[in-house]
Amino acid sequence: MLVTKEPMAHGANVNDKQRPPSRSSRRTDGSSRNRPRSERGDFDRANPDRGRPRKKPAGRDTTRPEPSLPKREGDRIAKLLARAGVASRREVERMIEDGRVTLDGERLDTPAVVLTSLRGVAVDGKPVGAAEAPRLFRFHKPSGLLTAERDPKGRATIYDALRNALPRGAPRVMPVGRLDLNTEGLLLMTNDGELKRAMELPSSEIPRTYRARTFGDVSQEQLEDLMDGIEIEGVRYGSIDANLERRTGRNQWIELTLTEGKNREVRRVLEHLGLQVSRLMRLSYGPFALDDLPRGAADEIRGSDVAQFRKQIMRKPAR
């Protein structure tokens, strides 16, 4: 800290202490020392501006509140196309990078375009219609189908089965999450890209329940340890609620509930415990269950249930 000293008066002793003025030297003309500095005009060395009237900042009227910025009208094109069921936001962004999306006949090269509607927007040369109300379908995926729109190797996909399984008049739908080639059970399909993304986010903490038929030795105590999570080859898996259902010799059925849904999570965790998985099926996803839906069949979930669930899931903040 820089400290400055006052110059000493001529003839003063350096060891003399500065004495306060006597009472007789104080002013008696009515200007009391108890009056505010702003009235006395006293000079404050530590704060020279103290007591002076403040000036208003130049170029700004502080007597009026700042005007609020106008709200942006419309949404980014990726969000609108996701709502319309074209694809998820990320997939739409890739489609724009590939030059598959046009606006009034001109290719878009950025997903940052903001629109109030999809008028004039086309994907692969086909005009995109207005967004429909969110719809959700249950599909009992059989084993042996890829959860993909198309396969370069020519293998069968879920869309091959959905052509005949979905109700007449169903919109274009996208899978919520994925099921491996040899995994069967409940696969939700929706036309709402925003709902799809929200349901897939780990931060949404939506429980998914599976049943696995396994071969090998495992105890309930080992399965209960999975509640604390587990790390396998550098990948951390979150809490899993696993329980033995029934056992015949070294074969057993295990039920598992998790909320992350990482790639091949159930199979990798069970194989890490020394088990061979011979069959795996998903029983439920959030509040929606497979129940007795026949294999290869599909049906639509009630619109009121979808609207209520969508409202709840969209209200959760992303982590």
Side-chain angles (χ1 to χ4, degrees):
M1 178 183 294
L2 180 65
V3 180
T4 59
K5 296 183 178 180
E6 295 289 341
M8 296 183 62
H10 179 69
N13 191 327
V14 70
N15 294 323
D16 289 348
K17 294 183 179 179
Q18 209 172 16
R19 297 180 179 178
S22 62
R23 292 186 179 182
S24 59
S25 64
R26 297 180 184 176
R27 301 184 63 171
T28 57
D29 57 356
S31 55
S32 171
R33 291 177 61 87
N34 293 329
R35 294 173 63 189
R37 289 182 181 270
S38 59
E39 297 180 13
R40 300 198 326 259
D42 291 351
F43 181 72
D44 188 344
R45 294 182 183 277
N47 187 3
D49 293 330
R50 187 173 179 180
R52 297 178 182 176
R54 295 183 179 180
K55 296 181 181 180
K56 295 181 180 180
R60 179 181 172 188
D61 185 1
T62 57
T63 61
R64 297 182 182 180
E66 288 287 336
S68 58
L69 295 176
K71 293 184 178 180
R72 184 183 71 180
E73 294 185 2
D75 293 299
R76 290 168 67 102
I77 188 170
K79 183 175 182 179
L80 292 176
L81 289 175
R83 280 184 187 169
V86 172
S88 66
R89 288 197 201 181
R90 290 183 180 179
E91 291 171 347
V92 168
E93 290 174 357
R94 285 194 289 266
M95 294 167 72
I96 292 175
E97 290 178 0
D98 295 339
R100 298 171 56 189
V101 182
T102 60
L103 176 61
D104 295 331
E106 296 185 5
R107 287 186 179 182
L108 296 180
D109 55 6
T110 174
V113 177
V114 176
L115 302 173
T116 57
S117 71
L118 290 173
R119 182 179 299 175
V121 177
V123 177
D124 296 332
K126 298 179 181 179
V128 180
E132 299 182 5
R135 298 173 70 177
L136 194 63
F137 299 84
R138 295 187 309 161
F139 173 53
H140 188 158
K141 174 190 173 298
S143 177
L145 294 181
L146 284 176
T147 306
E149 188 171 358
R150 61 181 66 89
D151 179 50
K153 297 181 181 179
R155 291 174 294 181
T157 73
I158 57 172
Y159 288 95
D160 296 326
L162 286 169
R163 289 192 187 98
N164 298 322
L166 287 174
R168 180 175 297 180
R172 183 186 183 279
V173 291
M174 303 164 285
V176 178
R178 291 179 177 272
L179 290 178
D180 296 338
L181 177 67
N182 295 321
T183 302
E184 57 188 288
L186 178 65
L187 184 61
L188 296 175
M189 310 291 296
T190 182
N191 66 330
D192 188 335
E194 281 191 307
L195 178 60
K196 165 185 166 66
R197 179 176 180 273
M199 293 183 69
E200 291 174 344
L201 285 174
S203 59
S204 297
E205 298 182 344
I206 299 178
R208 301 124 192 206
T209 300
Y210 297 79
R211 286 185 72 213
R213 185 174 64 192
T214 64
F215 175 80
D217 297 319
V218 69
S219 65
Q220 180 61 40
E221 185 178 0
Q222 287 177 286
L223 295 177
E224 289 176 357
D225 288 340
L226 296 176
M227 288 292 293
D228 298 326
I230 189 172
E231 185 171 328
I232 303 173
E233 298 180 353
V235 179
R236 182 70 186 177
Y237 297 99
S239 177
I240 300 176
D241 184 7
N243 295 281
L244 279 171
E245 285 193 334
R246 64 177 185 267
R247 171 179 285 163
T248 305
R250 299 185 66 193
N251 291 282
Q252 57 267 316
W253 283 95
I254 302 174
E255 184 175 282
L256 308 95
T257 300
L258 48 98
T259 58
E260 282 187 325
K262 290 180 178 176
N263 185 33
R264 297 178 60 83
E265 180 172 352
V266 175
R267 292 183 183 273
R268 288 178 176 172
V269 169
L270 294 177
E271 289 170 359
H272 181 74
L273 296 178
L275 301 174
Q276 298 177 15
V277 180
S278 58
R279 188 179 179 188
L280 180 61
M281 60 189 307
R282 184 155 64 196
L283 302 179
S284 65
Y285 198 121
F288 310 111
L290 181 64
D291 293 331
D292 56 355
L293 184 68
R295 186 178 304 175
D299 63 6
E300 185 169 4
I301 298 171
R302 288 190 308 178
S304 57
D305 295 338
V306 176
Q308 182 178 1
F309 177 73
R310 190 182 190 279
K311 186 176 180 180
Q312 293 174 351
I313 197 66
M314 292 299 183
R315 195 184 307 167
K316 287 188 178 182
R319 294 180 184 177

